[in-house]
Amino acid sequence: MPWVFRVLAKPALKTERIRYMVKSARTSAPLLIMCLLVGGVHAAQAHRAVRSCKPADLSVHFEDGQGAFDGMSHSGAWVVLANRSATRCAVPALPVVQLEDAQDHVLAIGKPAPLSPNQEPSQKILKPHVLWRASMYWVSGNVYDGGQCVSPNRAVLTFPLGDVRVDFPARTLCGPAQTPLTFEQGQLQPVPR
């Protein structure tokens, strides 16, 4: 293996190799700069680790989308998140959302909206006080034979470090007789300014 690749593959030996390269008449300045930068990249990556958001870090509310979700027998809302801590934190791009009644019975569960072929769920980094939102879209009319309609009053968002419980606006979700119902849920995206 050429010595240049050994330097890149073993950053711990960087200092010893750089001394050798400086003494070597074959070393060029661009190669030396590249080796120095590789060591800097490893150090920078260690400082970029972002912690998961704690439930206490998050502010959650719902917005109706000013009618954007409303249609014949359909409705929806935006679930809006903000990081109210002083530092950045991470949440899943597709948080688990469940809708419950006052007795903690799960009435509806979010299912991911279809993703484009190049899109994969990942994490989103929430900067302090910046708003993010995810769409929720459901059937609001009893259009199913033998179907059912429910009116949840609480939403539970599940994150790696715990759940966030928040009031859910007075809405009706309908579906087949199966329990719980499902609604389509989109990934988190920045709220346009």
Side-chain angles (χ1 to χ4, degrees):
M1 179 187 306
W3 63 269
V4 171
F5 295 110
R6 278 184 270 152
V7 170
L8 297 176
K10 298 181 181 181
L13 300 176
K14 178 182 67 175
T15 306
E16 180 182 327
R17 297 285 183 197
I18 290 173
R19 285 188 194 132
Y20 169 78
M21 290 186 308
V22 169
K23 292 178 183 177
S24 171
R26 296 179 298 164
T27 304
S28 67
L31 181 60
L32 181 60
I33 290 170
M34 180 185 73
C35 291
L36 290 170
L37 289 175
V38 168
V41 167
H42 291 290
Q45 288 172 343
H47 293 291
R48 290 188 183 182
V50 177
R51 66 177 178 82
S52 289
C53 295
K54 299 176 198 167
D57 294 337
L58 299 173
S59 168
V60 179
H61 70 275
F62 292 90
E63 294 180 356
D64 65 7
Q66 299 177 341
F69 296 103
D70 296 337
M72 188 176 290
S73 300
H74 288 88
S75 191
W78 292 109
V79 57
V80 181
L81 276 71
N83 172 7
R84 58 182 172 200
S85 76
T87 60
R88 298 179 312 151
C89 63
V91 296
L94 193 62
V96 175
V97 178
Q98 297 184 136
L99 303 178
E100 299 179 341
D101 64 12
Q103 291 76 38
D104 299 333
H105 298 119
V106 176
L107 301 177
I109 298 174
K111 68 173 188 171
L115 301 175
S116 64
N118 297 338
Q119 191 179 17
E120 289 185 30
S122 61
Q123 288 194 332
K124 299 295 183 181
I125 307 300
L126 279 59
K127 294 179 182 176
H129 312 291
V130 174
L131 297 178
W132 288 74
R133 68 184 183 182
S135 61
M136 297 171 61
Y137 194 63
W138 58 81
V139 176
S140 61
N142 194 2
V143 295
Y144 294 91
D145 289 336
Q148 66 169 331
C149 294
V150 297
S151 296
N153 61 359
R154 179 177 40 246
V156 180
L157 285 76
T158 302
F159 296 101
L161 297 182
D163 296 347
V164 174
R165 288 175 158 41
V166 62
D167 290 339
F168 188 71
R171 298 295 184 94
T172 300
L173 287 77
C174 299
Q178 72 188 32
T179 303
L181 300 178
T182 58
F183 58 88
E184 187 176 281
Q185 179 186 336
Q187 288 195 45
L188 285 172
Q189 56 185 300
V191 172
R193 294 180 187 202

